[in-house]
Amino acid sequence: GAAVMLSMGASQVVAQPNNGGQGGGGGRQGRGNFDPAQMQQRMMERYKQVLEVTDDAEWKAMQPLVQKVMDLRRESFSGRGRGIMARGHRGGGNAQPSDQGQQRRGAVTGTPNPDADALQKAVDLKASKADLKTAMDKYAAARKTKQAALEQAQEELRKVLTSRQEAIAMLNGLL
């Protein structure tokens, strides 16, 4: 899931350099001008087009439900796949906790995950078996809660979609 989000983000960044007449030289120019709200707006426009919504009133009812699913999906990925990205090396040796992993995770998911951070800290500090179990249980419970919220939002969205739109939404990762 995180890989999909990274590739989506990378394709958006690659497509941006000519916007606003900046970044014509390629490379990393224009990256400092990344606007999450603008990217979100483009994603909403894309979903409107992909779901074949032509009526503005229909989209006005559907858009907040699509947005909610997108937000909850992003939150449900928060903290997953963090080991390699957060540490940049294999375990063993002298694993030192750092803020660098959290900064990377924030760039991918947009929101910090305190339960994932607590579990990572327990792993980094080589916590006792009991402390690890407590942290794992909290992390698992938080994931279940987020997954349940996502499933509820998907059901709410499903209610306003036609069968064709539902199929399209499934193929595009909304359902």
Side-chain angles (χ1 to χ4, degrees):
V4 170
M5 290 181 70
L6 284 171
S7 66
M8 284 177 44
S11 68
Q12 293 293 330
V13 171
V14 169
Q16 284 185 357
N18 290 330
N19 290 346
Q22 295 182 2
R28 293 184 172 246
Q29 290 179 335
R31 282 188 96 174
N33 296 330
F34 175 74
D35 181 2
Q38 192 176 46
M39 181 176 152
Q40 188 173 35
Q41 178 66 30
R42 282 194 304 269
M43 289 178 72
M44 284 293 110
E45 290 170 6
R46 179 184 169 275
Y47 276 121
K48 181 179 179 184
Q49 180 182 17
V50 167
L51 292 171
E52 301 172 347
V53 179
T54 56
D55 180 23
D56 287 338
E58 179 185 8
W59 181 244
K60 190 173 184 174
M62 191 182 297
Q63 189 272 335
L65 300 172
V66 171
Q67 185 65 55
K68 185 175 182 180
V69 168
M70 287 176 48
D71 292 345
L72 290 169
R73 181 172 295 282
R74 184 179 56 248
E75 285 180 27
S76 74
F77 286 118
S78 177
R80 294 187 184 189
R82 58 199 280 130
I84 292 171
M85 289 182 65
R87 296 172 69 143
H89 62 80
R90 294 187 210 191
N94 295 332
Q96 296 292 320
S98 74
D99 291 337
Q100 187 177 17
Q102 185 171 349
Q103 290 169 352
R104 287 185 190 145
R105 285 189 307 279
V108 172
T109 64
T111 56
N113 182 331
D115 296 304
D117 291 340
L119 179 55
Q120 183 67 56
K121 184 177 179 181
V123 168
D124 289 345
L125 297 176
K126 299 182 181 179
S128 70
K129 184 176 179 179
D131 289 345
L132 281 170
K133 176 146 179 40
T134 299
M136 288 188 297
D137 289 346
K138 280 182 152 182
Y139 178 68
R143 278 181 36 184
K144 284 181 184 179
T145 300
K146 288 178 182 180
Q147 184 63 32
L150 173 60
E151 289 171 6
Q152 178 62 40
Q154 289 171 323
E155 282 305 312
E156 291 171 13
L157 175 60
R158 188 174 271 125
K159 290 176 184 176
V160 302
L161 299 175
T162 65
S163 295
R164 178 175 172 78
Q165 288 172 330
E166 184 177 352
I168 294 168
M170 287 179 115
L171 289 171
N172 283 276
L174 284 174
L175 301 177

